[in-house]
Amino acid sequence: MTTTAPPTRVHAASRPDSPWWRQAVIYQIYPRSWADSDGDGVGDLPGITARLPYLRDLGVDSVWLSPFYTSPQADAGYDVANYRDVDPLYGTLADADILLAAAHDLGLKVIVDLVPNHSSDEHPWFRAALLAGPGSPERERYLFREGRGPDGDLPPNNWQCVFGGSAWSRVTSEDGQWYLHLFDIRQPDFNWENPEVRAEFEDILRFWLDRGVDGFRVDVANALIKEAGLPDWDEPLHLLGDDEGVVHEPNGKRAPMWDQDGVHEIYRAWRRVLNSYNPIDADGYSGEHDRILCGEAWVDSQERIARYVREDEMHQAFNFDFLKTQWRADDLRNGIASSYAAADSVGAPTTWVLSNHDVVRHASRLGLPVGTKRPNGIGVGDPQPDTALGLRRARAATALMLALPGSAYLYQGEELGLPDSTDMPDDVRQDPTWPRSGHTERGRDGARVPMPWEGNRPSYGFGPSDQTWLPQPASYAALAVDRQADVEGSTLELYRALLATRRERGLGVGSLSWWEGLSEDVLAFVNASAAGERNLVITNFGVEPVVVPEGAQALLSSSPLGDGGAVPTDTTVWLTW
Ligand code: GLC
Ligand code: CA
Ligand code: MG
């Protein structure tokens, strides 16, 4: 089949020598669950270091490590008590230095998590604030307020916390004051209007930059500044937005705790700090050594997300709209086009992502009927995903994502096609979402189960013992790394081929033009290099097999092709011609 319509250009190619972060594939390691060196059932830094060659062989450019800092683990480490040290659960600062050096020796960059919206309640500043009492400068580092009502025993406003319940907790009735926590009760929000907080975080950035990290993933980057006066807000505080995308701005009114314009001046200041570490070569090129900021900002539109990646702010911001898009050709086509329009308007790369530690893995999500509201965890008694369909669509979705120009994040285990653990007993769950939502939202444990490395070993090779901090489903044995390595057609080998081909053919810096003329259930585009080398990418969402254009040669496909190279349903193929 041929087409007569000229391709519609959506995005122009970048320079082939663009900075690394404009096209990097970055692999998220969730340290608790990747590799355990000492058998206590919790992953750790020495475990990660020992397994890094696996990532070089997989073909990623960088890793992002979720938090490994000193923490009582009330929110799995997103509650930091000391931003400049490693929790003994994960190792020591010396282990972090060894990990960094080992990664760099393998040619991998390392991005660490930065959690600036809140600390742990065990942070020395919060402890000092409690002791120092109302009116003290120590309290000014957090958001303490008097309560409402005659005795001040009602919260200062009606905000709900993301995990459920009030966003305020009272110190004690004698003390009288309340503190704000948008997340768990053990995660008090900092007061970012206080210059002391700003200075402290710039110093924390320097601490890790001096140790050699290549950048930071910035946790809830859209939350640091709250609207003055902390006005009431009647809507629930979902972190991820609903599936229509709009929660932060219902009826045209911006939520007082999300995406306030004041956050941007913080990131401009951070960019100045990072730029002082980004040396420019004799030929004026700095890209190979750039240290970067990647924002986690759950905001309502591509236009709002683009504001975080303006030239003097962050380098990247996750494209969560893509993650939230339903498995429909039109929805994806529109989402991809609007992503490029917004990112290109500020000269930033798009940053694609399908899975992370906060959402149901895409191999499970895509196994639910199209149109299902995205669940916050799946558990016993919930509608269960179709595992085979989910995996097939997940492989097609990843092959689509990795053909898109820009940067992409992978979440550990997706290269094995891991599903969420969806039948985990509720009494082993650890995410505060489950109790705080009054046992209505299962939360995120299903995506956080320890990695299977060797199908025949206790804990599937996660560590030297049979301990795992969350139970691994029996289905993980057959998906273990050793069961998939060098096995033709395995998901692991598909990821390796996608990453190698993407790199060889420069897909991360190519242009994108729609290829018109195929059925409306098909998404098709050409990714062309600046030199004009063309890659045709086709994803078939329909039931009818799609005949590919004459003369096109398949480079790889997410599922086996049919007669004459036809593309079957729920399959992505990369072609050259
Ligand atoms: C981010 C993290 C999430 C955490 C929350 C509070 O969204 O990804 O895991 O619970 O911030 O720090
Ligand atoms: Ca351990
Ligand atoms: Mg230590």
Side-chain angles (χ1 to χ4, degrees):
M1 167 169 185
T2 49
T3 178
T4 45
T8 316
R9 174 60 63 88
V10 176
H11 168 76
S14 312
R15 293 170 40 167
D17 67 344
S18 288
W20 69 274
W21 46 271
R22 288 187 167 269
Q23 52 175 314
V25 177
I26 301 175
Y27 182 100
Q28 179 187 358
I29 292 179
Y30 193 65
R32 295 178 79 80
S33 301
W34 204 57
D36 174 19
S37 70
D38 57 4
D40 67 351
V42 182
D44 45 53
L45 300 186
I48 295 171
T49 301
R51 295 277 191 191
L52 284 174
Y54 166 78
L55 294 179
R56 178 207 45 209
D57 297 345
L58 182 60
V60 300
D61 301 289
S62 178
V63 297
W64 148 37
L65 301 169
S66 280
F68 49 74
Y69 314 110
T70 316
S71 162
Q73 307 289 318
D75 184 21
Y78 283 94
D79 49 317
V80 181
N82 183 350
Y83 289 87
R84 297 181 184 79
D85 203 355
V86 173
D87 196 278
L89 194 58
Y90 299 123
T92 63
L93 212 41
D95 292 327
D97 290 338
I98 292 168
L99 188 163
L100 268 165
H104 288 157
D105 282 348
L106 292 166
L108 296 167
K109 297 193 184 283
V110 179
I111 291 171
V112 295
D113 222 303
L114 186 71
V115 190
N117 180 65
H118 43 261
S119 70
S120 160
D121 63 343
E122 292 187 15
H123 190 287
W125 276 12
F126 191 72
R127 292 187 159 169
L130 292 182
L131 284 175
S136 62
E138 286 84 352
R139 291 226 166 164
E140 280 304 305
R141 294 164 172 159
Y142 293 90
L143 293 166
F144 284 90
R145 293 289 184 278
E146 302 300 323
R148 290 204 278 213
D151 303 318
D153 54 4
L154 297 173
N157 70 23
N158 68 353
W159 295 3
Q160 298 290 296
C161 103
V162 171
F163 299 145
S166 173
W168 294 92
S169 289
R170 199 171 196 187
V171 180
T172 57
S173 51
E174 301 79 65
D175 181 285
Q177 286 199 318
W178 299 68
Y179 67 90
L180 178 71
H181 52 89
L182 292 182
F183 294 89
D184 192 69
I185 187 169
R186 303 197 57 189
Q187 290 168 297
D189 281 46
F190 281 116
N191 171 17
W192 274 91
E193 308 292 352
N194 184 341
E196 217 185 329
V197 172
R198 296 191 184 218
E200 172 68 358
F201 272 88
E202 290 183 25
D203 194 68
I204 292 165
L205 288 175
R206 288 200 180 84
F207 177 87
W208 289 102
L209 290 165
D210 288 340
R211 299 196 99 82
V213 305
D214 299 288
F216 302 89
R217 174 268 190 186
V218 182
D219 192 65
V220 279
N222 55 323
L224 276 51
I225 296 291
K226 281 79 178 174
E227 188 178 324
L230 310 181
D232 274 348
W233 178 251
D234 296 326
E235 309 292 327
L237 277 205
H238 289 303
L239 177 58
L240 284 56
D242 65 13
D243 283 328
E244 307 314 316
V246 182
V247 278
H248 304 144
E249 237 179 305
N251 313 317
K253 169 117 179 59
R254 180 159 304 281
M257 71 296 285
W258 297 140
D259 198 24
Q260 299 291 303
D261 290 342
V263 297
H264 296 287
E265 116 189 14
I266 298 169
Y267 304 131
R268 283 193 281 269
W270 291 7
R271 181 64 177 257
R272 289 193 291 274
V273 172
L274 264 74
N275 282 351
S276 72
Y277 286 80
N278 290 347
I280 298 190
D281 297 357
D283 58 3
Y285 178 70
S286 74
E288 214 34 55
H289 305 291
D290 283 354
R291 320 279 189 108
I292 68 161
L293 296 168
C294 174
E296 183 215 22
W298 296 89
V299 301
D300 276 341
S301 64
Q302 291 290 340
E303 288 68 35
R304 294 300 296 187
I305 198 73
R307 296 162 58 88
Y308 289 79
V309 288
R310 288 176 289 193
E311 201 183 8
D312 56 350
E313 297 192 35
M314 301 205 192
H315 301 73
Q316 303 180 327
F318 292 111
N319 185 345
F320 291 126
D321 276 3
F322 182 67
L323 180 155
K324 293 193 288 187
T325 305
Q326 294 282 344
W327 188 245
R328 293 187 197 110
D330 258 352
D331 292 14
L332 281 156
R333 188 180 298 112
N334 294 335
I336 291 168
S338 61
S339 301
Y340 283 117
D344 288 346
S345 75
V346 291
T350 40
T351 301
W352 308 103
V353 59
L354 286 165
S355 282
N356 66 33
H357 66 294
D358 290 329
V359 300
V360 171
R361 288 173 173 279
H362 65 290
S364 292
R365 219 167 57 223
L366 295 172
L368 295 170
V370 174
T372 304
K373 185 174 158 30
R374 201 165 33 76
N376 184 4
I378 299 174
V380 175
D382 289 334
Q384 297 290 308
D386 176 333
T387 311
L389 180 69
L391 179 57
R392 184 180 178 93
R393 288 183 172 167
R395 291 166 54 115
T398 301
L400 165 62
M401 175 175 84
L402 290 176
L404 295 169
S407 179
Y409 279 70
L410 305 178
Y411 177 51
Q412 66 177 45
E414 68 166 85
E415 76 280 17
L416 305 176
L418 293 187
D420 255 44
S421 171
T422 59
D423 55 3
M424 181 186 293
D426 289 332
D427 61 1
V428 303
R429 292 186 178 277
Q430 309 229 355
D431 183 352
T433 302
W434 178 234
R436 284 200 61 92
S437 68
H439 303 112
T440 57
E441 309 232 351
R442 252 51 187 244
R444 304 161 293 176
D445 295 303
R448 298 177 173 181
V449 170
M451 276 278 283
W453 294 91
E454 293 156 86
N456 291 333
R457 294 263 312 276
S459 73
Y460 304 138
F462 170 61
S465 76
D466 62 359
Q467 301 293 302
T468 56
W469 71 278
L470 286 173
Q472 296 162 302
S475 66
Y476 277 26
L479 297 169
V481 172
D482 71 334
R483 301 282 182 91
Q484 296 199 46
D486 303 321
V487 173
E488 208 191 316
S490 72
T491 303
L492 178 58
E493 291 304 327
L494 172 66
Y495 270 71
R496 286 180 175 163
L498 290 166
L499 291 166
T501 308
R502 174 186 158 97
R503 185 189 298 268
E504 271 159 38
R505 300 180 64 87
L507 292 173
V509 288
S511 64
L512 188 137
S513 309
W514 295 133
W515 179 271
E516 320 276 2
L518 299 174
S519 116
E520 59 182 23
D521 286 336
V522 172
L523 184 71
F525 58 86
V526 175
N527 176 327
S529 71
E533 197 180 26
R534 295 187 305 173
N535 305 286
L536 174 61
V537 177
I538 298 175
T539 305
N540 184 8
F541 298 79
V543 285
E544 291 302 319
V546 173
V547 178
V548 302
E550 242 167 81
Q553 297 291 319
L555 294 162
L556 48 81
S557 65
S558 65
S559 294
L561 298 177
D563 288 346
V567 188
T569 185
D570 293 328
T571 300
T572 297
V573 61
W574 294 8
L575 306 127
T576 178
W577 86 109

